[in-house]
Amino acid sequence: MAEYVIMTNSTCDLPEEMIQALALNVLTLGVNIGEETFKEIPVKEFYQKIRDGAMPTTNAANIGEYVDAFEAVLQDGKDVLCLTFSSALSTTHNSALMAAEEMGAKYPDRKLFVVDSRCASMGEGLLAWYAAGLKQEGKTIEEIRDWVEANKLNLAHWFTVNDLDHLKRGGRISAAKALMGSMLGIKPILRVNDEGKLVSADKARGRQPSLLRLLDQMEKTGVNLADQTIFISHSDCYDDAKWLADQIQEKLGVKEVVINYIGPVIGSHTGIGTIALFFMATGRE
């Protein structure tokens, strides 16, 4: 069996030590803050800039970046399984497809598969985690591709957003909705649907009730929770993420909880105070 590499995007929001342990190849997307573009920025520094009033924007990976990333692996005699950031949230997936077509013509003897994860943040990361685990078990690149395609829509993404003002400033909700929500302590509950889009699902009044709503969704739809490793990502609100993790462990007894930051690309859109929960479920609703 030919050697192969599993590639994903920095929007997977995995801890660096996990990326290294899983031998993942990660293509970094950029963020723009003022006149500067960052491919690498310490996450605490990034969130401090938001606290100071910055409204970052983001850059999708372009075809040239994917060509360079793919070619570095292919010319080394290895194949590539590329799991991209959701095509409903970024043009990154389309760039990967076009680059793969170009590289396929140049390296006809190599295998290069591009899969739309339809995932975001540590949902994308959890999908890559499962894929890397299958690779460690000795599965072929085709077997992992097929598993990902068959199971990705069972990877549930549930979010709650705390910073309505950031959403207002970014034009994602109206000023009236932000004001009313803030006055009433309303916290939106969102999910990623089967198309890979972020959609409104519910709302709760107060921070802890909104976090418990995420737990409720896991309890309703999660499968084999005692055997699951689940992921929680947060935009610079670790204490809330840990509180949710403790509640999940106490009530549902999952195998393991991995907590990490929402990285700069996703954090540019969510602002500070977002908590996201990722787990395998009967579906995404």
Side-chain angles (χ1 to χ4, degrees), residues 2 25 94 112 180 188 217 248:
N25 187 317
N94 287 335
L112 174 50
M180 185 61 67
Q217 289 298 329
I248 289 171

Side-chain angles (χ1 to χ4, degrees), residues 29-228:
L29 279 61
V31 296
N32 309 306
I33 303 175
E35 300 299 316
E36 294 185 85
T37 297
F38 297 88
K39 281 296 185 74
E40 301 289 343
I41 179 172
V43 70
K44 295 289 286 186
E45 178 182 337
F46 168 78
Y47 283 115
Q48 186 57 52
K49 287 181 181 292
I50 290 182
R51 285 190 169 89
D52 293 340
M55 284 298 298
T57 59
T58 57
N59 299 324
N62 61 45
I63 299 171
E65 289 172 315
Y66 264 116
V67 164
D68 291 344
F70 289 157
E71 189 154 34
V73 178
L74 297 171
Q75 68 184 1
D76 197 32
K78 298 176 183 178
D79 300 329
V80 180
L81 174 60
C82 178
L83 311 179
T84 66
F85 184 30
S86 174
S87 64
L89 298 173
S90 172
T91 60
T92 292
H93 176 70
N94 287 335
S95 295
L97 287 177
M98 288 185 278
E101 183 176 357
E102 181 179 334
M103 289 294 95
K106 187 172 182 180
Y107 296 90
D109 296 329
R110 299 259 57 86
K111 297 173 183 176
L112 174 50
F113 302 123
V114 176
V115 177
D116 180 0
S117 74
R118 301 192 194 177
C119 294
S121 189
M122 288 184 82
E124 181 183 345
L126 186 53
L127 195 66
W129 180 86
Y130 275 109
L134 292 171
K135 181 184 177 186
Q136 291 173 348
E137 291 175 11
K139 301 296 185 184
T140 67
I141 190 172
E142 291 90 353
E143 287 173 324
I144 298 177
R145 175 202 60 193
D146 293 347
W147 185 94
V148 168
E149 289 285 15
N151 288 276
K152 64 188 182 184
L153 297 186
N154 294 105
L155 206 164
H157 300 52
W158 287 87
F159 300 71
T160 183
V161 178
N162 202 42
D163 187 1
L164 299 183
D165 186 58
H166 182 86
L167 297 182
K168 179 199 74 175
R169 287 186 290 133
R172 298 178 186 98
I173 62 173
S174 69
K177 283 187 176 180
L179 177 61
M180 185 61 67
S182 296
M183 288 175 60
L184 297 176
I186 299 298
K187 308 301 179 185
I189 310 295
L190 305 102
R191 64 181 177 87
V192 172
N193 67 11
D194 286 353
E195 296 176 35
K197 294 179 180 177
L198 189 61
V199 295
S200 178
D202 201 353
K203 56 188 176 182
R205 182 170 292 183
R207 180 60 158 175
Q208 288 191 357
S210 72
L211 298 178
L212 290 174
R213 197 67 59 86
L214 307 186
L215 183 153
D216 290 344
Q217 289 298 329
M218 174 182 282
E219 186 173 22
K220 289 176 185 176
T221 64
V223 294
N224 301 320
L225 290 174
D227 297 323
Q228 275 207 51

